[in-house]
Amino acid sequence: MLEVTQDLLLGGRVRLVQPVRGHRAGTDAVLLAAAAPVRPGDGVVDVGAATGAVGLMVAAREKDARLVFVERDPDLTELCRRNLRDNGIQGEVAVADVLDKASRQAAGLSPESADLVLTNPPFLEEGQARISPDLGRAAAHALPAGGLEAWLKACTGLLKPKGRLALIHRADRTAECLEILGKWLGGMELCFVHPSADRPAIRLLLRGIKGSRAPMSILPPLILNGPDGRFTPEAEALHRGETDLL
């Protein structure tokens, strides 16, 4: 039986059951949810949802969003369904491998059906780094070689024309993300996330619009920690759900 913990996000507004071992939701999920340009009535697809943290936090902000959680691991999808029930959120959980067209189709994921796609892709690809021996962590953190382009192509394929994508990734893969997404998105907004004011960025938050020809914008950076090592007021407010990154 999967060993789990029960955690609270956004100052207790979201309850999350997640595995003790493997990938666990944290600051990346909080930041992606805070950057999501969600509107009332939007059809929102959380790709690579795991236990549903990102989508649940978006639902806590916008009650009228229609949510679909896409995850290939059956154990995580069961926890995602449990989290939806525990939080009183209506949503669909699709068991699908986003990299496999037939799997997406079998799960009912239709092309050009989403107003907003949110994704936190696995950060590594095979051959780039040593992969964790923990199978759950490895699956969450690593893609097949060339998998990032396939992942992002599938995500943008789910978007309606003028639909919006929000992504978080490692800052050192910014050029690759821009090269791939530039084929389909415009009006891209970039926000770099720094662990402290004197250290290089570790994360990239990116938003874009399918089919837009608007120019790219670089937003002010987000600094997570002050000189004392504690969250900055902005980072603390984001984690408590008191503000967002729109």
Side-chain angles (χ1 to χ4, degrees):
M1 185 173 181
L2 197 64
E3 188 178 2
V4 300
T5 61
Q6 298 192 36
D7 302 300
L8 298 177
L9 302 172
L10 303 187
R13 291 165 60 196
V14 172
R15 298 163 59 191
L16 189 75
V17 176
Q18 57 182 334
V20 170
R21 295 181 177 82
H23 179 73
R24 289 171 56 80
T27 292
D28 286 352
V30 169
L31 296 183
L32 178 56
V38 63
R39 301 168 181 166
D42 271 351
V44 180
V45 181
D46 180 356
V47 175
T51 56
V54 173
L56 289 168
M57 286 187 281
V58 168
R61 194 171 93 219
E62 179 47 68
K63 301 294 186 183
D64 292 331
R66 296 172 288 109
L67 290 146
V68 178
F69 299 78
V70 182
E71 174 55 49
R72 69 177 183 177
D73 186 311
D75 290 332
L76 296 181
T77 56
E78 282 306 306
L79 291 179
C80 186
R81 291 188 180 97
R82 176 177 170 181
N83 286 326
L84 287 171
R85 292 193 300 268
D86 289 351
N87 287 277
I89 300 297
Q90 297 294 319
E92 176 187 345
V93 180
V95 184
D97 182 350
V98 71
L99 298 180
D100 186 286
K101 182 178 179 181
S103 178
R104 297 195 305 269
Q105 291 177 337
L109 296 171
S110 302
E112 297 195 340
S113 59
D115 299 293
L116 173 63
V117 169
L118 311 171
T119 191
N120 179 1
F123 284 166
L124 302 173
E125 293 184 13
E126 290 176 0
Q128 288 185 330
R130 180 178 178 273
I131 304 303
S132 171
D134 182 281
L135 294 179
R137 186 176 291 272
H141 288 180
L143 289 166
L148 180 60
E149 181 163 8
W151 183 288
L152 295 179
K153 182 178 180 180
C155 288
T156 55
L158 294 172
L159 286 173
K160 298 175 181 178
K162 302 302 180 182
R164 289 146 282 133
L165 176 86
L167 159 82
I168 189 167
H169 212 298
R170 287 171 35 152
D172 60 6
R173 299 195 72 181
T174 298
E176 189 175 357
C177 289
L178 290 175
E179 181 180 3
I180 294 168
L181 289 173
K183 300 173 185 178
W184 305 292
L185 304 183
M188 286 191 278
E189 297 177 317
L190 279 62
C191 174
F192 291 99
V193 182
H194 298 250
S196 59
D198 59 348
R199 295 176 63 189
I202 55 172
R203 294 288 184 267
L204 165 73
L205 285 162
L206 183 153
R207 295 189 297 236
I209 302 170
K210 187 173 182 177
S212 172
R213 295 188 177 183
M216 183 171 60
S217 301
I218 309 295
L219 304 180
L222 172 65
I223 310 301
L224 292 178
N225 301 298
D228 59 359
R230 302 179 67 176
F231 279 147
T232 61
E234 183 179 9
E236 178 67 28
L238 290 167
H239 280 82
R240 294 189 62 82
E242 297 169 351
T243 188
D244 54 45
L245 288 169
L246 295 180

